[in-house]
Amino acid sequence: MSDSPRQIVVSTADAEATRALGARLASLLRAGDLVLLTGGLGAGKTTLAQGIGAAMDVRGRVSSPTFIIARAHPALGDGPDLIHVDAYRLSSLEEVDALDLDSSMERSVTLVEWGRNKVEGLAEDRLEISVDRPHGGLPAPGDAADGAHGAADGAPSSAPDHPADPASPADPADPAARPVLDLDGVDDGRRAITIQAHGRRWAGVDLGALVG
């Protein structure tokens, strides 16, 4: 039996669709599973984790555990607990070991944000999930309102079309002289979520069931 990784890419249209994917993923999880979540800041890792936690019927709302590195969500029913970890600030194996995740893994699903290259040693059998914005999550050319052509370099500015009079430089202390950032449409909510399965635990699992 091959234990090479298998993967599937699922596209979601908005945050609710990402949570719905998390709920479908929860139906495949069982005690002892390790899930690594990777993605940029604000990509939607915690949104996906919220869908997993809600479907697992655990106590408490799953939220970013940045200031509490590991948070336990006990099961309200017969299912496993959820251990939600933020490994962003962990920089060594010693810091990972100090969390003592091994002691709870057998009876829990362990979900680690920012876990790539940090916690793979916890289990050969695991899911590695990457949450990405397609093309940066920016609207396609022509989709945005007039003036949004500057979005590639940042949000569009309200600066006039003609250059300012060099003899009358704008006063940086004057709020009216500062560029107005219009973030509407910068992130349209779409995500491309790559799910890669490692190990024999996932050899017979149909990842196609995750496609809604």
Side-chain angles (χ1 to χ4, degrees):
M1 179 187 300
S2 171
D3 57 2
S4 59
R6 297 173 298 120
Q7 76 173 35
I8 187 171
V9 179
V10 182
S11 297
T12 59
D14 52 30
E16 285 307 310
T18 297
R19 291 188 186 95
L21 172 59
R24 296 194 297 274
L25 181 60
S27 69
L28 302 181
L29 298 174
R30 67 190 188 197
D33 284 342
L34 174 65
V35 181
L36 279 59
L37 290 180
T38 301
L41 288 169
K45 300 182 297 298
T46 300
T47 301
L48 184 66
Q50 288 171 346
I52 294 172
M56 286 180 59
D57 192 24
V58 296
R59 181 179 300 142
R61 184 177 185 273
V62 173
S63 59
S64 178
T66 300
F67 298 106
I68 301 176
I69 295 177
R71 178 181 284 120
H73 295 272
L76 296 175
D78 297 330
D81 298 341
L82 175 65
I83 306 297
H84 187 204
V85 181
D86 188 331
Y88 183 76
R89 290 181 171 82
L90 301 181
S91 58
S92 68
L93 292 176
E94 289 76 13
E95 290 178 325
V96 174
D97 290 342
L99 296 177
D100 198 23
L101 297 175
D102 305 68
S103 65
S104 60
M105 281 195 64
E106 288 188 3
R107 61 181 183 276
S108 307
V109 170
T110 303
L111 182 64
V112 186
E113 297 189 27
W114 304 98
R116 180 178 291 172
N117 299 325
K118 295 180 180 180
V119 301
E120 289 89 344
L122 291 173
E124 292 184 2
D125 298 330
R126 62 186 183 275
L127 290 180
E128 296 185 7
I129 302 177
S130 178
V131 184
D132 300 292
R133 297 180 179 88
H135 306 295
L138 298 175
D143 288 350
D146 291 342
H149 55 273
D153 296 322
S157 166
S158 63
D161 293 335
H162 55 79
D165 181 354
S168 306
D171 181 0
D174 179 6
R178 299 173 190 166
V180 176
L181 300 181
D182 180 8
L183 297 181
D184 185 36
V186 168
D187 187 343
D188 61 8
R190 292 177 300 126
R191 296 294 184 266
I193 301 176
T194 303
I195 302 167
Q196 189 175 66
H198 294 258
R200 295 175 182 272
R201 150 75 175 95
W202 297 100
V205 177
D206 179 16
L207 296 181
L210 298 174
V211 180

